[in-house]
């Protein structure tokens, strides 16, 4: 495999008072470059390339309610313009940007396959998001290696073929240095300590006693000689 020349892209700027701004623009630009490079390589049924016919945007996005193993997703018509143009959205999970840059590129290519299938009007996932044989067919045509682990995700497991990885390195010249930050995982919410429930008892002279719920409290006040009763 040929070795590509390594260059360093500046991704931070020191502002006044020593504040350092870490820009996501170089990473965002590289995600778009990977998508455009992939889309140019996809020939549609009408002979045009995908980049000539599709409206899409790509961005890092917080996981939100997505499963922890989710690396990215495609949403048809996720965005729009003032002119009413529907734009498909590719989101790359920001908490997963600590991976090898070639793995991140593979995720972009995987999601681009979904864009391709959507543009051709074919269903590559069922209602449960299980990746079907149709997805596998399209993914293999672009150079991904597809596996089915026999679970509910179907053919969702993809990786770069040796040839596709080499093309990313030698033809696209993937800028690996721009993938130098990622979003931290949200720490699990701390469980609040539950306060034991208590029952308040009162006697005839209004003396109160607080007792753990479930404990039998059978007592008589020494002052008024009446029994303590629970307060409703």
């Amino acid at each position: 495999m040929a070795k590509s020349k390594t260059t360093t892209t500046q991704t931070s700027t020191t502002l006044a008072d020593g504040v350092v701004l870490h820009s996501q623009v170089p990473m965002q630009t590289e995600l778009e470059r990977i998508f455009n490079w992939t889309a140019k390589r996809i020939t549609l049924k009408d002979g045009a390339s995908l980049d000539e016919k599709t409206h899409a945007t790509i961005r890092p996005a917080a996981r939100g309610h997505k499963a922890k193993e989710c690396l990215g997703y495609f949403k048809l018509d996720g965005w729009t313009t003032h002119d009413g143009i529907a734009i498909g959205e590719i989101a790359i999970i920001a908490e997963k940007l600590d991976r090898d840059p070639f793995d991140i590129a593979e995720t972009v290519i995987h999601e681009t396959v979904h864009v391709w299938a959507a543009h051709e009007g074919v269903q590559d996932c069922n209602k449960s998001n299980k990746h079907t044989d149709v997805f596998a067919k399209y993914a293999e045509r672009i150079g991904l290696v597809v596996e089915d682990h026999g679970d509910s995700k179907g053919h969702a497991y993809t990786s770069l073929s040796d040839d596709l990885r080499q093309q990313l390195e030698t033809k696209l010249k993937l800028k690996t240095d721009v993938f130098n930050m990622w979003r931290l995982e949200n720490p699990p919410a701390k469980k609040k300590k539950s306060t034991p429930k208590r029952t308040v008892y009162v006697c005839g002279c209004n003396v109160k006693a607080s007792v753990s719920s479930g404990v039998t409290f059978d007592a008589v006040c020494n002052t008024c000689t009446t029994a303590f009763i629970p307060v409703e």
Side-chain angles (χ1 to χ4, degrees):
M1 183 181 295
K3 293 184 178 180
S4 59
K5 184 178 179 180
T6 302
T7 58
T8 302
T9 304
Q10 184 174 349
T11 59
S12 62
T13 304
T14 302
L15 306 178
D17 300 322
V19 175
V20 179
L21 174 66
H22 293 269
S23 175
Q24 293 184 23
V25 172
M27 178 168 56
Q28 173 79 33
T29 300
E30 191 64 3
L31 290 174
E32 293 176 357
R33 207 167 68 91
I34 298 166
F35 171 78
N36 288 329
W37 178 80
T38 305
K40 286 179 185 295
R41 299 173 67 244
I42 294 174
T43 302
L44 303 173
K45 293 176 181 178
D46 62 3
S49 60
L50 181 63
D51 68 303
E52 296 175 316
K53 291 296 186 80
T54 192
H55 293 274
T57 187
I58 184 170
R59 66 186 182 93
R63 175 183 293 113
H65 298 295
K66 293 291 182 180
K68 191 169 185 179
E69 65 271 17
C70 179
L71 303 177
Y73 61 86
F74 167 65
K75 184 178 181 181
L76 184 65
D77 302 342
W79 289 64
T80 189
T81 69
H82 288 297
D83 298 326
I85 297 174
I87 303 173
E89 175 189 23
I90 292 178
I92 305 302
I93 301 302
E95 290 87 345
K96 295 295 187 178
L97 287 171
D98 59 339
R99 297 178 291 143
D100 184 293
F102 283 91
D103 291 336
I104 297 171
E106 185 276 324
T107 300
V108 175
I109 296 170
H110 176 117
E111 300 306 329
T112 305
V113 173
H114 290 304
V115 178
W116 181 11
H119 186 85
E120 297 280 32
V122 298
Q123 186 174 356
D124 61 349
C125 292
N126 64 17
K127 292 181 180 180
S128 301
N129 202 36
K130 182 176 182 179
H131 291 47
T132 65
D133 293 342
V134 172
F135 173 83
K137 176 183 175 182
Y138 276 67
E140 287 171 346
R141 283 172 61 184
I142 200 63
L144 291 174
V145 176
V146 183
E147 298 179 68
D148 186 340
H149 292 182
D151 58 19
S152 62
K153 296 180 178 62
H155 296 284
Y157 302 95
T158 56
S159 58
L160 297 173
S161 63
D162 291 341
D163 178 63
L164 185 53
R165 182 185 176 94
Q166 186 174 24
Q167 289 186 55
L168 285 169
E169 188 171 5
T170 60
K171 293 186 177 180
L172 177 66
K173 299 187 185 305
L174 182 68
K175 296 179 180 178
T176 59
D177 59 301
V178 301
F179 297 102
N180 59 3
M181 59 179 170
W182 56 91
R183 191 175 191 274
L184 294 176
E185 299 278 357
N186 289 328
K190 293 183 179 179
K191 293 184 178 179
K192 294 183 179 179
K193 293 183 179 180
S194 58
T195 303
K197 292 183 178 181
R198 302 183 70 82
T199 302
V200 176
Y201 289 77
V202 65
C203 68
C205 61
N206 207 34
V207 174
K208 295 179 181 179
S210 178
V211 181
S212 297
S213 296
V215 174
T216 302
F217 184 65
D218 187 9
V220 174
C221 176
N222 290 332
T223 302
C224 64
T225 68
T226 60
F228 284 86
I229 59 174
V231 177
E232 297 296 336

